[in-house]
Amino acid sequence: MVDATRGTHDDPPDVLGPIAGTPAFDDDRPPSAAVAGDCVHCGFCLTTCPTYALWGEEADSPRGRIYLIQAGLDGEPMSASMVRHVDRCLGCMACVTACPSGVRYDRLIEDTRAQVERRFDRTPRQRALRAAIFALFPYPRRLRLLRGPLRAYQASGLRRLAARTGLMERLGPTLATLESLAPRLRTVPRPPRLVPAVGARRAVVGVLTGCVQSAFFPEVNSATIRILAAEGCEVVVPPAQGCCGALSVHNGRRAEAQRFARRIVDTFARAGVDHVVVNAAGCGSAMKEYADLLRDDPAYAAPAAAFAARVRDLSQLLVELGPVATRYPLPVTVAYHDACHLAHAQGIRAQPRELLAGIPELTVREIADPEICCGSAGVWNVLHPEPAAELGERKARNVLATGARLLVTANPGCLMQVAAAVRRLGGEVATAHTAQVLDASLRGLDPAALGAQPPRSSR
């Protein structure tokens, strides 16, 4: 039973027991007591929280985690129980959208995770896994080195053999998850550093090429650049951009995220662009928060705020500019999936749908329970493979139920997560980024170019 003013009646004694030991938080940007106090424990967040949907545990809901954070602010020690429930949060921000009191849970969980990463002694296995993840994923060059071996693995037939034998599952859920997420790789030339506008120049924009996006979805970046040029933008692609810091900041690695952010601010300042365009939801969300991330840095506080004001999601900028390029018919039915860090963190829902609605003969179908995360959440699916698979399959079933031939979303993690879940369920649906769909229309391509084949009954 849940007490609306207290949480569960059986709160973990090692978290909410008598004050003992070192307090959970130090004075280095602890979570805000004022923000935590904004929560009135109404429960509107519960139905939108993926971990509460999985387990029904109060401590794995946003208001339950706020209770644990408040206990830490009151002087309770940082226990393993507290850290476990904080770690289990996907950071999807659906609760921020649902909250009638406007509680900035995103700020609370981010500041709490930074305290956890600095102050909590994880197990050797946890430290090793996190060290491996953050030695690889935020580095585009290192990710690109994996392309050759991965393409050879996919072409050899070993992937099909591993799927039939269940080899990866026997080797471990983390390895199985990484293997299942890997997309089919395509050879795409690297984008030029400068692409002129088609027709009258309407804006000069820089494009973030990203880490996972540039390594595993380079075709999305190519489509993004072609669209922007077609809509009258001169496109600048600064070399050696590096990571934006999204994965790091969302996992409490604040100092690392700040280093990445400073490099991005400097890189695009030198580029001299009107806007910085992002086609990955998590990256855009983090970059729009640079002013907060670097607020205590005298040299970067003002430049970071100016930079953040210029950041635009691709769909956001295209709607702001308005269409000038001709859209050709694209006869296909698509299901649109709201990436969490686009819909909840950035509040961008209408713009992608408006772009899709502007494509002749394209039909958009909505997905049931759109507020529930697909389970990707940056690297959450690697750190928590079993519950992530449950969430992925829940999302995949809802996608398949639409009868759409193509799933469209705006985040590489979502594309990989849902595609893997669809394969596990034995379903069939192609996946594409919003940019790829619009690009196909501007170029007059057939839906088959996106992998969207006609239904079998019509063949």
Side-chain angles (χ1 to χ4, degrees), residues 81-105:
S81 175
M82 176 187 185
V83 172
R84 181 171 65 253
H85 295 302
V86 168
D87 282 350
R88 283 178 174 176
C89 174
L90 285 85
C92 69
M93 304 303 114
C95 57
V96 176
T97 298
C99 181
S101 301
V103 177
R104 289 298 306 270
Y105 175 84

Side-chain angles (χ1 to χ4, degrees), residues 58-265:
E58 178 72 9
D60 286 313
S61 72
R63 72 178 182 186
R65 293 186 180 101
I66 290 175
Y67 257 128
L68 300 180
I69 291 168
Q70 186 61 63
L73 290 168
D74 290 342
E76 294 288 346
M78 185 179 289
S79 68
S81 175
M82 176 187 185
V83 172
R84 181 171 65 253
H85 295 302
V86 168
D87 282 350
R88 283 178 174 176
C89 174
L90 285 85
C92 69
M93 304 303 114
C95 57
V96 176
T97 298
C99 181
S101 301
V103 177
R104 289 298 306 270
Y105 175 84
D106 53 332
R107 295 285 174 86
L108 288 176
I109 198 69
E110 186 176 299
D111 288 338
T112 300
R113 281 181 163 159
Q115 294 273 338
V116 168
E117 288 307 296
R118 286 189 296 103
R119 294 167 56 78
F120 185 72
D121 187 19
R122 296 189 182 276
T123 66
R125 182 184 179 279
Q126 290 174 336
R127 290 198 299 271
L129 177 57
R130 288 171 182 265
I133 287 171
F134 288 97
L136 176 63
F137 284 95
Y139 297 94
R141 290 182 180 178
R142 297 176 191 178
L143 285 173
R144 284 195 290 270
L145 289 176
L146 294 178
R147 284 180 58 88
L150 185 55
R151 288 187 68 186
Y153 168 74
Q154 292 175 342
S156 69
L158 288 175
R159 186 175 204 175
R160 293 188 295 273
L161 178 63
R164 286 198 306 270
T165 61
L167 174 63
M168 291 298 176
E169 286 75 11
R170 290 198 294 272
L171 291 174
T174 299
L175 185 60
T177 296
L178 287 169
E179 192 277 340
S180 70
L181 291 173
R184 177 68 61 179
L185 299 179
R186 301 178 178 90
T187 300
V188 179
R190 288 197 185 184
R193 296 185 182 182
L194 180 65
V195 179
V198 176
R201 190 178 77 177
R202 306 166 73 194
V204 179
V205 303
V207 169
L208 180 84
T209 52
C211 302
V212 172
Q213 198 84 291
S214 65
F216 296 132
F217 297 95
E219 63 274 18
V220 174
N221 285 337
S222 296
T224 297
I225 292 166
R226 283 193 295 265
I227 293 166
L228 290 167
E231 295 289 13
C233 296
E234 181 178 296
V235 184
V236 180
V237 184
Q241 300 176 21
C243 178
C244 70
L247 288 180
S248 301
V249 74
H250 294 154
N251 286 274
R253 300 168 68 93
R254 179 175 286 143
E256 182 178 76
Q258 289 170 333
R259 290 197 300 272
F260 288 140
R262 293 185 191 101
R263 178 173 177 173
I264 289 290
V265 169

Side-chain angles (χ1 to χ4, degrees), residues 313 315-316 319-320 347-356:
D313 179 72
S315 65
Q316 182 183 15
V319 169
E320 287 179 5
I348 295 175
R349 299 177 184 81
Q351 294 94 324
R353 290 174 170 83
E354 183 175 335
L355 293 179
L356 295 173

Side-chain angles (χ1 to χ4, degrees), residues 236-376:
V236 180
V237 184
Q241 300 176 21
C243 178
C244 70
L247 288 180
S248 301
V249 74
H250 294 154
N251 286 274
R253 300 168 68 93
R254 179 175 286 143
E256 182 178 76
Q258 289 170 333
R259 290 197 300 272
F260 288 140
R262 293 185 191 101
R263 178 173 177 173
I264 289 290
V265 169
D266 288 341
T267 297
F268 283 95
R270 289 192 297 268
V273 297
D274 302 321
H275 302 292
V276 178
V277 177
V278 190
N279 56 22
C283 299
S285 168
M287 292 163 69
K288 288 180 178 180
E289 297 291 333
Y290 275 4
D292 180 69
L293 179 63
L294 296 174
R295 70 179 188 232
D296 298 325
D297 187 328
Y300 278 89
F307 171 89
R310 295 198 301 274
V311 175
R312 297 288 189 278
D313 179 72
L314 173 65
S315 65
Q316 182 183 15
L317 179 67
L318 292 176
V319 169
E320 287 179 5
L321 291 174
V324 293
T326 301
R327 273 71 169 155
Y328 295 98
L330 194 63
V332 64
T333 299
V334 308
Y336 179 74
H337 163 63
D338 284 297
C340 294
H341 276 87
L342 193 63
H344 301 305
Q346 299 185 56
I348 295 175
R349 299 177 184 81
Q351 294 94 324
R353 290 174 170 83
E354 183 175 335
L355 293 179
L356 295 173
I359 298 175
E361 299 184 27
L362 183 140
T363 301
V364 179
R365 291 181 181 169
E366 297 294 333
I367 301 168
D369 296 330
E371 72 283 355
I372 298 293
C373 181
C374 69
S376 173

